[in-house]
């Protein structure tokens, strides 16, 4: 993965969130704690689902996959940032940067596709409850996850290969705490027209497509809930998808906020700070959102913790 076209740049500088030395220990502590919470929380979700037979359903199967992806997603960026702060270095090699871009795109897209699959699962559960077990059979659930992985891997591979064709000259400073694709393309001193076309086409297809699918699913869910006569029935139907709707809103609203803030201010530092929401905060909050509002999950977690104390 060496740079081509005679490029001499073999490493970049990650400027991080702040250049002030005094705040680096605070940043290190905050990122370390959020990373540990994310790892521990999502791992607990996975262990609770796998250990409780009552949670071996499509909804929790997709949730366990989402938790695994969130662990991988945060592990792509935070450990490198913590290492740089600890060693007081901002350097990241060219190979490390390309690798980070590959896995960051992979797990970000996979996150969106899994959220879309989970929306479809809730649509079938609420709108076609009598056919739910037939439609959402284990084969279809596994196929949906497999297709999500294949799409994510192919897109990430394409985006990474497109970066490999670029040349980098003297500007090697990345105003972020990780190698972000758009910033990398902006740093290139070679023609980036094709990269921009591929990047924005993939963004529309793989961000807009899942978002449209989620909107369609929830429009039908809301329509179906409104036709339920009893208030208790409406509450039960809505409660089954409330956690997922909260996670979807948090994920997409933060991504939209990052885009709007960067477009409005053209400030790379503000964009890096805003991106903390969907790269760090959202994966950390997901276990709390899914466990605190879910009686079955709370019961499984209690059983798992009790079993661990024995």
């Amino acid at each position: 993965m060496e740079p081509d076209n005679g490029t001499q740049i073999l490493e970049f500088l990650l400027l991080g969130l702040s250049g002030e030395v005094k705040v680096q220990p605070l940043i290190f502590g905050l990122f370390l704690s959020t990373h540990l919470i994310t790892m521990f929380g999502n791992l607990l979700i996975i262990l609770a689902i796998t250990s409780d037979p009552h949670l071996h359903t499509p909804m929790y199967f997709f949730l366990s996959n989402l938790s695994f992806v969130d662990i991988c997603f945060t592990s792509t960026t935070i450990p490198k940032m913590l290492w740089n702060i600890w060693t007081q270095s901002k350097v990241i090699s060219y190979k490390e940067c390309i690798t980070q871009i590959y896995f960051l795109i992979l797990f970000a897209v996979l996150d969106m596709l899994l959220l879309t699959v989970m929306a479809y699962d809730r649509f079938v559960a609420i709108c076609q409850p009598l056919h739910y077990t037939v439609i959402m059979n284990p084969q279809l659930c596994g196929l949906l996850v497999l297709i999500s992985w294949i799409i994510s891997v192919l897109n990430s591979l394409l985006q990474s290969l497109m970066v490999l064709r670029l040349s980098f000259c003297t500007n090697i400073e990345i105003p972020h705490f990780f190698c972000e694709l758009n910033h990398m393309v902006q740093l290139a001193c070679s023609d980036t027209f094709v990269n921009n076309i591929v990047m924005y086409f993939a963004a529309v297809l793989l961000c807009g497509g899942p978002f449209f699918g989620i909107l369609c699913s929830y429009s039908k869910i809301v329509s179906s809930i409104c036709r339920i006569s009893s208030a208790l029935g409406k509450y039960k139907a809505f409660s089954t998808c409330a956690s997922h709707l909260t996670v979807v809103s948090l994920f997409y609203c933060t991504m939209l906020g990052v885009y709007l803030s960067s477009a409005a201010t053209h400030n790379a530092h503000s964009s890096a700070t805003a991106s903390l929401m969907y790269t760090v905060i959202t994966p950390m909050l997901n276990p709390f959102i899914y466990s605190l509002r879910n009686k079955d999950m709370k019961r499984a977690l209690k059983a798992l913790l009790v079993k661990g104390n024995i």
Side-chain angles (χ1 to χ4, degrees):
M1 283 189 176
E2 293 297 333
D4 57 1
N5 300 332
T7 304
Q8 298 300 315
I9 300 300
L10 296 177
E11 59 186 28
F12 296 92
L13 296 178
L14 294 174
L15 300 185
L17 296 174
S18 175
E20 296 184 18
V21 179
K22 293 181 179 180
V23 300
Q24 295 306 308
L26 176 62
I27 295 175
F28 182 87
L30 288 175
F31 271 78
L32 179 60
S33 58
T34 54
H35 186 54
L36 292 176
I37 292 171
T38 302
M39 297 284 287
F40 184 69
N42 283 287
L43 188 59
L44 271 181
I45 293 290
I46 296 173
L47 291 175
I49 292 173
T50 54
S51 63
D52 191 338
H54 296 95
L55 299 184
H56 293 175
T57 62
M59 181 178 74
Y60 294 109
F61 170 70
F62 296 133
L63 177 57
S64 63
N65 278 273
L66 182 68
S67 294
F68 173 74
V69 171
D70 281 340
I71 290 173
C72 298
F73 188 40
T74 57
S75 299
T76 304
T77 56
I78 297 183
K80 178 60 180 177
M81 181 184 185
L82 293 175
W83 176 256
N84 281 3
I85 295 176
W86 181 262
T87 59
Q88 298 182 356
S89 171
K90 297 181 179 181
V91 174
I92 183 170
S93 70
Y94 180 85
K95 290 182 178 180
E96 286 178 320
C97 206
I98 296 297
T99 303
Q100 195 175 71
I101 288 174
Y102 174 83
F103 285 107
L104 189 67
I105 296 174
L106 169 64
F107 295 120
V109 173
L110 194 53
D111 234 340
M112 289 184 283
L113 293 177
L114 285 176
L115 288 173
T116 308
V117 169
M118 293 172 76
Y120 175 71
D121 172 72
R122 293 300 84 206
F123 158 71
V124 176
I126 293 174
C127 299
Q128 302 182 47
L130 298 178
H131 302 94
Y132 177 72
T133 55
V134 177
I135 297 174
M136 300 304 295
N137 57 74
Q139 290 77 20
L140 178 62
C141 293
L143 183 61
L144 289 172
V145 173
L146 178 62
I147 292 173
S148 298
W149 271 96
I150 292 173
I151 293 174
S152 302
V153 167
L154 292 178
N155 171 68
S156 186
L157 183 62
L158 173 63
Q159 299 289 354
S160 301
L161 291 175
M162 292 299 295
V163 176
L164 283 174
R165 62 182 290 272
L166 298 176
S167 299
F168 299 91
C169 301
T170 56
N171 187 6
I172 60 172
E173 294 183 343
I174 302 175
H176 222 301
F177 61 93
F178 60 87
C179 289
E180 198 264 339
L181 177 62
N182 190 43
H183 283 123
M184 288 290 292
V185 173
Q186 292 176 3
L187 287 178
C189 56
S190 56
D191 182 45
T192 61
F193 177 76
V194 178
N195 290 75
N196 286 320
I197 293 295
V198 172
M199 185 169 57
Y200 290 121
F201 178 77
V204 171
L205 187 64
L206 297 175
C207 294
F211 184 66
F212 179 74
I214 291 172
L215 285 180
C216 288
S217 296
Y218 273 101
S219 64
K220 294 182 180 296
I221 288 173
V222 171
S223 177
S224 180
I225 291 177
C226 289
R227 290 196 295 268
I228 299 175
S229 57
S230 68
L232 181 61
K234 290 181 179 180
Y235 174 77
K236 287 183 177 180
F238 180 75
S239 63
T240 61
C241 56
S243 297
H244 177 258
L245 187 58
T246 304
V247 171
V248 168
S249 302
L250 185 63
F251 186 81
Y252 275 99
C253 287
T254 52
M255 287 191 69
L256 182 62
V258 171
Y259 173 77
L260 293 177
S261 66
S262 60
T265 62
H266 299 287
N267 189 319
H269 178 71
S270 299
S271 176
T273 305
S275 67
L276 284 173
M277 287 302 297
Y278 73 90
T279 57
V280 179
I281 305 300
T282 301
M284 181 186 69
L285 293 179
N286 284 355
F288 296 100
I289 295 172
Y290 277 108
S291 60
L292 294 178
R293 295 183 59 88
N294 191 307
K295 293 181 179 179
D296 292 333
M297 183 59 69
K298 284 193 285 189
R299 175 182 51 78
L301 287 172
K302 287 180 181 178
L304 180 66
L305 294 175
V306 169
K307 187 184 298 183
N309 290 329
I310 295 177

